[in-house]
Amino acid sequence: MSNYSIDEFIRKTKQDEAENEFFELETERILEVNLSDQVWAKAGSMISYNGSIKFEREGILEHGVGKMFKKAFSGEGSSLMKAAGKGRLYLADQGKKVTIFDLNNESITVNGNDLLAFEPGISWDIKLMKKVAGMVSGGLFNVTLEGRGRVAITSHYEPLTLLVRPGEPVITDPNATVAWSGHLKPEFRTDVSLKTFIGRGSGESIQMEFKGEGFVIVQPFEEVMTTGNGSS
């Protein structure tokens, strides 16, 4: 059904007043944050809020000099904003599907473009993939998050989780790779032969190879990595 009266449409799409978890999926593409203190979120991801909430762009020295230098090389896509106060905050990112993880002293590494929000008690660190910075549009960076608390990530369409087992490595396209077990260290490799079949005139096909034991989350979409001007 696509024809509604105004009242029918409101009933079908209105926010759920009963939900009060810190992170809630208001829809599969909108994250509701029931804020009572503060939260870190991707800069520019706020679509609506109510209550008394103040937004502040991440300070250049907010997390120490080491992370400041990493940010300088990882592009605008790694920028975070801090939302502080009390109220309901709604976050989204280009209509991408939102998934919430509840970390229990675990770690997960997320592609910088696909991190939407996380609780302030979670520790994090930016990792720049230097080997492919000049080979993939805009370079690649990821964020490793660990501790206890919720993390919200995004993906284009339905994500698929691939299991990595000893002796059975998983190989992915970097532009389709969303997240992976925090302890896995992907290796980058190029496949020169691919461009012969695809007809690419320049550049080699870059692949990520995951070895060991864990998981990798991919999406059915090759995302153009964020460049320094914040576009994607």
Side-chain angles (χ1 to χ4, degrees):
M1 178 178 176
S2 57
N3 296 323
Y4 299 94
S5 71
I6 293 294
D7 286 344
E8 287 170 340
F9 184 77
I10 290 173
R11 281 197 301 271
K12 184 174 178 63
T13 63
K14 72 178 180 178
Q15 68 195 70
D16 187 342
E17 301 285 352
E19 295 178 331
N20 54 15
E21 291 287 330
F22 183 68
F23 280 2
E24 294 278 1
L25 284 181
E26 190 63 16
T27 75
E28 65 176 11
R29 301 177 190 278
I30 298 176
L31 176 69
E32 175 188 293
V33 183
N34 290 288
L35 199 59
S36 59
D37 184 12
Q38 67 179 40
V39 68
W40 285 103
K42 185 175 185 176
S45 63
M46 185 276 287
I47 59 170
S48 180
Y49 71 93
N50 57 41
S52 178
I53 301 175
K54 181 181 179 182
F55 299 90
E56 185 178 334
R57 196 65 174 250
E58 179 187 12
I60 197 164
L61 291 175
E62 180 97 34
H63 303 287
V65 175
K67 288 185 181 176
M68 177 188 73
F69 283 118
K70 289 178 185 177
K71 279 177 57 62
F73 290 101
S74 59
E76 187 69 17
S78 62
S79 292
L80 299 170
M81 66 178 182
K82 180 166 59 177
K86 186 174 177 61
R88 289 190 177 189
L89 169 63
Y90 297 93
L91 304 174
D93 185 15
Q94 303 180 67
K96 294 162 68 177
K97 183 179 176 66
V98 180
T99 300
I100 301 171
F101 292 107
D102 196 351
L103 299 186
N104 184 19
N105 288 323
E106 299 161 299
S107 65
I108 186 171
T109 300
V110 184
N111 182 300
N113 274 348
D114 302 319
L115 177 61
L116 182 62
F118 57 93
E119 292 194 61
I122 289 179
S123 61
W124 60 277
D125 193 17
I126 293 172
K127 308 281 188 182
L128 178 63
M129 302 182 190
K130 297 176 183 177
K131 291 182 179 179
V132 293
M135 304 167 81
V136 176
S137 176
L140 283 172
F141 68 94
N142 55 61
V143 184
T144 298
L145 306 109
E146 59 185 335
R148 297 177 65 93
R150 292 179 177 87
V151 174
I153 70 170
T154 59
S155 62
H156 287 278
Y157 311 107
E158 297 291 333
L160 172 68
T161 300
L162 305 169
L163 297 181
V164 182
R165 299 184 177 94
E168 299 179 23
V170 170
I171 298 164
T172 66
D173 179 335
N175 294 313
T177 306
V178 175
W180 55 91
S181 305
H183 63 277
L184 291 181
K185 306 296 182 187
E187 296 178 5
F188 292 89
R189 67 186 204 180
T190 58
D191 191 332
V192 181
S193 64
L194 271 182
K195 67 178 180 181
T196 304
F197 295 105
I198 297 173
R200 281 178 156 177
S202 61
E204 299 169 332
S205 172
I206 302 174
Q207 302 168 347
M208 297 175 75
E209 183 175 20
F210 296 86
K211 297 178 180 178
E213 190 166 7
F215 64 86
V216 182
I217 301 171
V218 295
Q219 61 186 0
F221 186 94
E222 291 188 29
E223 187 169 19
V224 177
M225 296 303 156
T226 302
T227 60
N229 62 10
S231 63
S232 61

